Each structure stands twice: as C-alpha cells, then as structure tokens.
Amino acid sequence: MKKETSIQRRVYKGYYICIIFIVLVAISNYLNLSKIESNLSNNIVVSKLFNSILEIRRFEKNYFLYSDETSRFETLKYIEIAETTIEENSNNFEALKINKDIFSLKDILKEYKENIQNLSMVNNSKEKANIRELGRNLVITAENITYIMRQEVIKLLSFSKKFLVSSIYFLIIIAIIVGQYLSYLVLKPLKNLHTSMKNIVDGNYGELAIESSDKEIIALNSAFNKMFKELEQKQMNFIAQSERLASLGKMVSGVAHQLNNPISNISSSCQILKEEIESSDIEYKKELLFQIEDQIERTQNIVYSILEFSKRKKIKKHSINLKKLMQETVNLMKVYIPNNLKLETDIADELYIYADKQKVEQVFLNLIKNSVDALKDTKDAKISIFTEKDSENKIKVVVQDNGPGISHENVAKVFSPFFTTKVDDKGSGLGLFIAKEIIKEHNGEIAFESNTEEEGTKFIIKLPLA
C-alpha cells in the first residue's frame, strides 16, 4: 500500500528550500558588503593620515625656507594628529595587511618628531637632510599604505560583483529545478484527470481512476466520482423535465386555469340572459352584458400577455437616458395614478443604460402598476423611484412603495407565472414573471425586499450602463 502524501506538503518543502537558499545568499552578500564597508572606513582613516603627513611636509618646507617658528609648531601639530589617528585605529589596523607598514610609519613619525623638536636654529645641513629623508620615508610609507587599502577595496568589490552574479544564476537554477519538480507532481495527476474528463464529455461514462498517493488528488477523484453517480441518477429525470418544459406543461395548465374562470362566467351570464331575454328588466340585462364585457376583457388580457411572452422578439439594445425613460413611463401611468398617491423620482441626468427601450419600459410600467394597486387602501401612499451605484458597469434602479408589503407565504411565488394577489382575478399573474425574463435578457438582475408586511415593498433592478 502506498504511503499517503500531500501536494501541499511538497509545495511547502520546495518553497522552504528556495527560501533557505535565498537567505544564505542574502547573508553572504550582507557579510561581504559589511567587509567592504569596514574597508572603506579604514580607507577614510588612511586618507586622513596621508593628508596629515602631506601637511607635515608642507610646513616642514616652509620652516626650512623661511625659518618661521609658526610653521614648526604647525608641523608638530600635524604630527600629533597623525599619531592620534594611528593610536585611535590601532585595533582596526591589526587585522589588515598594512599592520607592519603602520608600525613602520609610527616609528618613522616618532623619529621625525624628535628631530623636529631638537632642531637648532643654527644652519645645520646634516640635521635638515636627515629630517628631509625621514619626511620622504613618511610619504612613501603612507602612499604604500593608501595603495594597499585601495587595492583591497577593489578586490572586495570585484569579488562581490562576481558573487552576486553567481548567486543569481544559482538561484535561477534552483528555482527551475524546484519548479519543474513541483510541476511534475501537480500536473501529472491533473493531466490524468483531464483525460478522464474528456472521455466523459465524449459520452464514455465511468468512474475516474487517477493513480496518485496525494490526498488532494484522491479527494478530488472521490468528489468527481460521487458527482458523476448523482448526475447519472438524475439524467433521466432531467430529460423528462426538459420534455415537459418544452411542451409548456406548467404554462398550459396555468393558461387553462386562468381562462376557465372568465369563460365560465361568460357562459353563465349568457345562459341567464337567454332565459331572461323576454323579461322587461332592462337594468338586469345591462348588468349581465357588462359582466360579459368585463370577463371578455380579462380573457383578452390573459391571451395578450401570453402572446407577448411567446413572441420573444429580438431585443434591440441601444443607449437610453434613464431619467428621460422614467419620465415617459410615469407620464404613461398618470391616468392610472390616483390624486392621493405621491410618486417621486430621483435619477441623475447623466445616467445612460444599454437596453431595449420598449422592453425596459414595460418592466417599469408593471412595477409601478403593481405598487399603485397595492397602495389603493394606504393612507399617505407614496412611490419612490431612485438609483444606487452598483459597480463600474451596472446601476441599481429601485422602485419602492409604502404599501402593506408581501406576506411571508407569498415571497417564494412573486415571480411565478400566473401568481397574483389581486382580488376579483383582475390580474393575469404574468407581469412580474415577464419582467424577470426581460431583465435576464438584458444581462441584469431583479430582486425585491419586503421584510414585514408593514414596511412596504422595494424592487431592485440591476441594468448595464451604456
């Protein structure tokens, strides 16, 4: 039996290997740069020492030329500076190649100082020649120290450059090796999965059998096999359901139910009218005729709604000013809106949607009409239409009323075909169903909020911006 492994653990292992190599390279470069920094600091000290010796020689020359005691004191002053510089940095010089040269410089400096201090004002050519010789030795030794230090820095910089380039190449090679290894571990079982899935797409159903000891692949294999079993079990049910939908099963049943009531009422009224045709009660006959007319109109509305839905005209989208569209919709509803109902719109002038004007207008007409019907018994009735930003390419249009709201038992049925809460069967029950279909055709969404029966109803439509 194969030992169970994990892709995640292997990926982490490869990741940690890369991290370790990166850290090692970073530490090596840091140490090298620290060494360069230290050498540069020592170079600064050596430069200061060299400058002090040059000043010593300059004032020595002035002293010998002009017998100026000030120049002598300045010479001694710079000798003190040079000695102090050597003493303060003696610990740093011990680990360097210039350590012997520094000691030699220190000795020459000491002898030079004694000669300057003991120099008499009498013209002693031998003493002056000795001092000049010591001065030349000071400069030569200091120049040698400076040259060695600069060479050390150049070597370190060259090594650092080579080491950095080598580190980059090395890390690239390690990354490629680790990447190839991880790719092999992950892609091999995924390729097997792809092959098996392709067979299933071609209609060759069967269980997936991916050879792998990784628990993630095993779990994936198990999940797919479970899914395929469920799909196989539901396949026949799905085909049967598709056939029922194709024959408009539920729709036809709803149409028959919706048309049966008005036709029965028409039939009853006609029967009564036939029996009472010889009577003299004209008002009663008129009432029967009005009932027949009302039921015929109701039947026509149902048939018209079904025809409109079944036509499925190809939508023609273009850029529409949302505010103008809403104003036109409200104008169409003016006759239908009672005087005691307040309708407010708050839509920015610059908002444009990409839609079929006639279709979207039909949606808003249905929503406003539903709100008006729901508010007929509401005091201080109010409908608000406004927009909210949804995303960069969509806008929310909200149609809100303060009516009685939607009862909890009807929430799930709101968008169902032929569902209506209007009394006397005045509604066809297709308004919101058709509205939802239209919004879906526009790649939009429609939803509603009605938490309690006292808060009213808020329909929210998302539409693409032009």
Side-chain angles (χ1 to χ4, degrees), residues 351-367:
L351 278 178
Y352 284 81
I353 58 171
Y354 187 62
D356 185 309
K357 182 181 176 183
Q358 186 179 359
K359 295 274 188 182
V360 174
E361 195 174 70
Q362 183 183 349
V363 172
F364 290 124
L365 281 170
N366 284 338
L367 292 178

Side-chain angles (χ1 to χ4, degrees), residues 142-198:
E143 283 179 342
N144 187 48
I145 291 169
T146 303
Y147 176 78
I148 292 170
M149 289 300 295
R150 286 175 180 171
Q151 287 298 111
E152 280 297 306
V153 171
I154 290 169
K155 285 179 183 178
L156 283 171
L157 287 172
S158 177
F159 173 79
S160 180
K161 182 181 176 182
K162 291 176 182 176
F163 183 82
L164 188 61
V165 172
S166 301
S167 300
I168 291 170
Y169 281 126
F170 184 72
L171 285 174
I172 290 170
I173 292 167
I174 292 295
I176 290 170
I177 292 170
V178 172
Q180 289 293 325
Y181 174 70
L182 294 177
S183 296
Y184 173 78
L185 290 177
V186 177
L187 292 178
K188 185 182 177 182
L190 289 179
K191 283 180 179 177
N192 292 337
L193 178 63
H194 176 264
T195 304
S196 300
M197 292 294 291
K198 193 175 179 183

